[in-house]
Amino acid sequence: MLKLLSYLKRRDDITSEAFKEYYENSHVPLILSLAPSPTVYKRHYLVRGDAANLREDEIDFDVVTELGWEDRDVFNAWMTAVSDERVGIDEARFLDRARTRAVLVEDRPTAG
């Protein structure tokens, strides 16, 4: 499975709760209106103030979005479908787009 992990930072003028609310209830529906849902589409929100985040001052993102597709062709088709100006306009409403980072990874699960 081919996966994309995106490390996203909320705009400084938006609270964490407002960020989550907008992402889940406005942005995700927009994406799903433009393209079929990937095999995997998850948002992993950072838990601030948790002892497990020992170097929290170095964590410069608020959510890791995980998307997965069966193969590169399906991924390419999905990327084409969401390469719509409405996505960029919407992202500017809640993301610090200059701080967005993304990587393609290949899963090799041991369990689960």
Side-chain angles (χ1 to χ4, degrees), residues 98-110:
R99 295 171 77 179
T100 294
R101 298 183 318 276
V103 293
L104 278 174
V105 298
E106 185 179 303
D107 271 356
R108 300 288 174 103
T110 299

Side-chain angles (χ1 to χ4, degrees), residues 1-2 36-42 67-71 74 78:
M1 175 172 282
L2 184 67
S37 181
T39 303
V40 175
Y41 191 10
K42 299 178 185 179
L67 300 116
W69 302 268
E70 300 81 30
D71 59 43
V74 177
W78 189 88

Side-chain angles (χ1 to χ4, degrees), residues 30-105:
L30 170 63
I31 295 299
L32 296 177
S33 76
L34 299 172
S37 181
T39 303
V40 175
Y41 191 10
K42 299 178 185 179
R43 274 88 43 220
H44 306 275
Y45 293 98
L46 185 66
V47 177
R48 298 271 180 197
D50 191 296
N53 296 330
L54 299 177
R55 297 298 314 234
E56 189 168 322
D57 58 319
E58 295 178 352
I59 299 172
D60 64 347
F61 57 89
D62 293 286
V63 64
V64 178
T65 298
E66 175 185 1
L67 300 116
W69 302 268
E70 300 81 30
D71 59 43
R72 172 91 46 183
D73 291 337
V74 177
F75 163 74
N76 289 338
W78 189 88
M79 289 298 289
T80 298
V82 299
S83 294
D84 184 291
E85 69 179 13
R86 290 175 289 177
V87 173
I89 291 167
D90 192 58
E91 287 178 346
R93 291 184 177 123
F94 73 111
L95 294 177
D96 180 346
R97 295 183 74 210
R99 295 171 77 179
T100 294
R101 298 183 318 276
V103 293
L104 278 174
V105 298

